[in-house]
Amino acid sequence: MAKGKGKKGKGKGKGPVGPEVVTTRTIIRERERCMCPRLGDAAVRSERADAIRLECVFFKIRRAVVQGKETLDLSRSNLGFVPEELRTVPELRKLTELDLSRNQLFGSDHVFSMIEELNVLRKLNLSDNFFNGPLSERCTKMVALEDLALDGNQLTELPENVGDWKLMKRFSAAKNELKALPESSAAWTGLTYLNLRNNKLAALPGPAMRHWTECETLYLGTNEIAVLPDEVSFLTKLRELDVRTNHLSHVPPALSACRELKKLHLGNNRIADVPAEVLAHLTEVEELHLYKNKLDALPEQIGSLTKCTRLTLSSNNLRTLPDAIASCQSLSELYINNCGKFANLPSSSGDLVNLQELQAKKCPGLKSLPNTAVAWANLRELDLRAAKKQVCKLPPELIATLDAQHCKIRGGVQKKGGKKGKKK
C-alpha cells in the first residue's frame, strides 16, 4: 500500500495512507442508479422531481378540462409517454394548441395515435424529443394543423401525403436528418414560414414551390442543396431567404423576382458570381451575406442596394469594390475579412457616411485606406489587423479624426511623418 505524500501522512502516530480515490462522472451515475448509500439521496431527489413534474402535468390537464381551455402546455415535463387523457377525455377535443416539446417522447406512431382525435388542433409543438426514423403517417390525419414544429429530433423522412395538411402555414423541422420534402407539399398554398435548417436536403421540390406564393420566410441553411430552383421566382412575397452552408455554385436570375426580400443569406457556398439583374431588382434588401464564396468581383449594380445596412464579403477573391458602392448610403456594417487579394477600397467609399463598423482583417494586399475615409463621421470600429506584420498605413490626420469621434482602431500602422499612435 502506497504511503501518502501529503503533510498529514508524515505526522507522528499516523499510519500509512491508502490509495487516492478517483471518482468519475460515470462512477457517480452508477452509484446513483444503484442507490449507493453515499449518493442515493441525489437519485431520490431526481425521482421526486419527476413525480412532481408528472403531477403538474395532470394538474394542467384537469385545469384545461374544468376551465374549457383551448391551449395546453406540457413542455419540459420529462414525459416518456403521452397521457391517456388526451385520447379519452372528450372535453380535450376542443384543444387548438398543444405543446409537447422538450420531453422524452420516442415513438411518433405512439404520440399521434394518442392525439389524432384532436380534430380541431391547429398548432402542435413536438420539438426536442427523441423521434427517429420516418415520421408516422398517422400525423396526416390531423388535417386542421396550421403550425407544426418538429425541430431537434432525428427524423429521416416525412410521409408522402403531407399534402393532407392543406391549411399548413408554418412548418418547422430543423435539426433532423431529412433528405427530401415530399412533392405533395404543393398543397401548402397558405404556407408563410418554412424552416428546414440543418438537415440533409439535396434538392428542393421545384414544382411544389410554384404554389408557395404566400411564403415570407424560407430557412434552408446547412443542407446539401446544389441548385436553387428557378421556381423561386413564384415566391414574390419572400422577405427572408437563408441558403447558407450549402453547395450552391450560382445564384439563379429567377431570384430577381423576389423583390420584397429584406435578408438574403448566401454565405459559405461555392458562388463565383452574382447576376447583375438580381442585385438590380433586390432594392429592398437590408442584409446581404456573401461570405466564404468564390467571388472575384461584384457588379456595379451593388449600388442598387440603397437600403442595405449590413454587407458581408469576407473570405472571397475580391480585389476591390465597385465605385457604385457609394450609393449604398444606408450601409452601417461592412465585412471584407480574410480576402487575400483585396488591395483597395475605392475613393467613392468615402460617401458611406453612415458606416459604423469596417472590418478588413487578414487582407495583406490592403496597404492603405482612401483619403476620403476622413468622411466616415459615424465610424465606431475599424479593424485592420493582419496575421503577422501590420501593413495598412493610416495617415496621422485620419487617426486624429477617428480618435476624436471615439472610433476604436485595431491593427494598422501610422504613416511616417507624425506622432506614432498606440497599438490597439
Side-chain angles (χ1 to χ4, degrees), residues 25-177:
R25 290 185 178 181
T26 303
I27 293 174
I28 292 175
R29 284 197 298 267
E30 284 302 305
R31 284 175 178 168
E32 291 177 355
R33 186 178 67 83
C34 299
M35 297 297 291
C36 173
R38 293 179 60 192
L39 297 172
D41 289 345
V44 171
R45 287 195 297 269
S46 179
E47 289 180 0
R48 287 177 180 172
D50 290 342
I52 292 171
R53 278 192 289 262
L54 190 58
E55 182 59 33
C56 288
V57 166
F58 292 123
F59 171 76
K60 290 178 180 179
I61 292 174
R62 288 194 296 269
R63 184 175 60 181
V65 171
V66 172
Q67 298 181 1
K69 288 182 173 292
E70 295 184 355
T71 63
L72 181 59
D73 185 354
L74 301 180
S75 62
R76 302 172 184 265
S77 299
N78 207 30
L79 289 175
F81 61 91
V82 176
E84 184 75 16
E85 286 79 0
L86 290 177
R87 183 174 64 87
T88 60
V89 177
E91 289 82 358
L92 294 177
R93 301 279 173 85
K94 63 176 68 175
L95 285 177
T96 59
E97 296 184 19
L98 176 61
D99 191 345
L100 290 168
S101 63
R102 301 195 177 190
N103 280 293
Q104 298 186 32
L105 301 175
F106 184 76
S108 62
D109 194 66
H110 158 71
V111 171
F112 284 102
S113 70
M114 301 297 288
I115 65 176
E116 62 187 359
E117 297 300 325
L118 303 179
N119 297 322
V120 296
L121 196 68
R122 296 198 302 266
K123 184 175 181 179
L124 176 61
N125 191 342
L126 293 168
S127 299
D128 299 305
N129 278 284
F130 294 95
F131 298 147
N132 62 84
L135 185 65
S136 172
E137 294 187 0
R138 287 178 177 268
C139 65
T140 56
K141 293 182 180 180
M142 308 183 72
V143 294
L145 280 178
E146 298 177 5
D147 187 332
L148 177 59
L150 298 165
D151 309 284
N153 286 285
Q154 296 180 26
L155 296 171
T156 59
E157 188 178 347
L158 297 174
E160 287 297 327
N161 56 334
V162 295
D164 292 348
W165 294 324
K166 298 185 185 299
L167 302 178
M168 187 62 67
K169 293 180 180 179
R170 293 176 61 90
F171 182 81
S172 185
K175 297 181 181 179
N176 279 283
E177 304 291 326

Side-chain angles (χ1 to χ4, degrees), residues 197 216-222 225 228 238-248 250-251 255 261-269 271 274 282 285-293 310-312:
R197 283 173 172 161
E216 297 179 359
T217 305
L218 187 56
Y219 293 145
L220 302 167
T222 315
I225 299 170
L228 192 60
L238 201 61
R239 297 173 65 85
E240 186 168 358
L241 175 62
D242 179 4
V243 284
R244 76 186 86 179
T245 315
N246 275 281
H247 300 160
L248 298 177
H250 72 283
V251 179
L255 189 61
L261 269 175
K262 300 287 187 183
K263 297 180 181 180
L264 180 56
H265 298 261
L266 297 168
N268 200 14
N269 278 285
I271 299 170
V274 180
L282 299 186
V285 166
E286 296 174 358
E287 289 188 21
L288 176 58
H289 302 276
L290 290 165
Y291 60 88
K292 288 188 179 180
N293 276 290
R310 192 177 189 188
L311 180 60
T312 61

Side-chain angles (χ1 to χ4, degrees), residues 316-327:
N316 276 286
N317 299 321
L318 298 171
R319 296 178 182 275
T320 186
L321 298 180
D323 288 333
I325 194 70
S327 299

